[in-house]
Amino acid sequence: MSALGIIGIVALVVVLLIVFWFIGVYNGIKVSGIKVSEALSGIDVALTKRYDVLTKMLDVTKGYMNYEKETLMKIVQLRSGMSMNERNNANREMDNLSREFRILAEHYPELRSSNNFVELQRSIADVEEHLQAARRLYNSNVTDYNRRIITVPNNIVAGMMGATQKAFFEADEIKKNDVNMTF
């Protein structure tokens, strides 16, 4: 075999390696993006479940207090199309509503002793755990996706795809502080 033939084979192998690498990186970024979308959907499911539980809790407490559900209706605008910032704001509003509800419940001892109320409190705890898990999964997938699109040489393919970094689901500033446990 001539030197020109060997150079041609080596060049073909190099080109094929680059093409396979490009396809692998492209598919990896696409799959990672799908995981981010799937995890975001998981947050929406958890927030919807949270809304349903809080709505049911409000229904149970109607006999004990006069409280309107329109606050909940306003914050349940959690449909596709909301930015991560809007989702974070809606989450903060639901946290505030949940906190207000617990404060109101303290003023109604009959409500706290109700079996329905106790069961709903357990449901809320379950929903909150599910929501936290969904947030962690989302942030983990965002980390993976962002890492894929910013590392060299993957950033070349990501730039060609127009891939941009995704936003993390963030905790409220107040939740980052230590909890005051004094009575």
Side-chain angles (χ1 to χ4, degrees):
M1 194 175 271
S2 70
L4 192 56
I6 293 174
I7 292 174
I9 291 173
V10 169
L12 180 64
V13 168
V14 168
V15 167
L16 285 175
L17 286 174
I18 291 172
V19 167
F20 287 136
W21 168 82
F22 181 89
I23 291 170
V25 169
Y26 182 89
N27 288 338
I29 291 172
K30 286 292 192 179
V31 167
S32 187
I34 290 169
K35 286 181 179 181
V36 168
S37 297
E38 180 183 12
L40 186 56
S41 174
I43 290 174
D44 284 342
V45 167
L47 288 171
T48 300
K49 183 177 178 182
R50 184 185 198 196
Y51 166 77
D52 291 342
V53 169
L54 288 175
T55 301
K56 287 176 186 168
M57 182 171 272
L58 287 174
D59 288 342
V60 167
T61 61
K62 275 184 181 177
Y64 297 98
M65 62 185 173
N66 184 14
Y67 191 83
E68 295 296 325
K69 288 196 285 185
E70 64 188 49
T71 305
L72 271 177
M73 299 305 273
K74 187 174 71 174
I75 55 178
V76 172
Q77 299 167 347
L78 298 172
R79 300 292 171 242
S80 61
M82 285 183 87
S83 70
M84 186 50 60
N85 190 36
E86 291 169 324
R87 289 172 197 272
N88 283 328
N89 289 338
N91 183 61
R92 274 190 279 288
E93 288 184 45
M94 274 201 261
D95 286 346
N96 290 337
L97 178 63
S98 185
R99 197 171 15 258
E100 286 176 27
F101 181 79
R102 283 190 291 273
I103 291 169
L104 285 170
E106 289 176 11
H107 294 96
Y108 294 93
E110 315 85 50
L111 174 62
R112 286 188 310 218
S113 64
S114 163
N115 287 338
N116 289 341
F117 184 76
V118 171
E119 184 58 37
L120 284 170
Q121 282 182 311
R122 282 190 204 116
S123 295
I124 286 177
D126 178 58
V127 165
E128 293 297 329
E129 286 178 28
H130 181 77
L131 183 56
Q132 291 303 321
R135 289 174 183 154
R136 282 190 302 274
L137 178 63
Y138 173 79
N139 283 344
S140 173
N141 286 331
V142 166
T143 298
D144 179 62
Y145 177 82
N146 288 346
R147 180 193 53 80
R148 285 178 186 269
I149 68 169
I150 64 169
T151 55
V152 176
N154 293 3
N155 61 343
I156 297 167
V157 178
M160 295 167 81
M161 295 171 61
T164 58
Q165 290 190 38
K166 306 282 185 186
F168 289 96
F169 201 98
E170 298 176 5
D172 293 335
E173 283 301 316
I174 196 164
K175 290 184 179 181
K176 293 179 183 179
N177 298 328
D178 195 17
V179 175
N180 184 357
M181 298 297 283
T182 58
F183 295 98

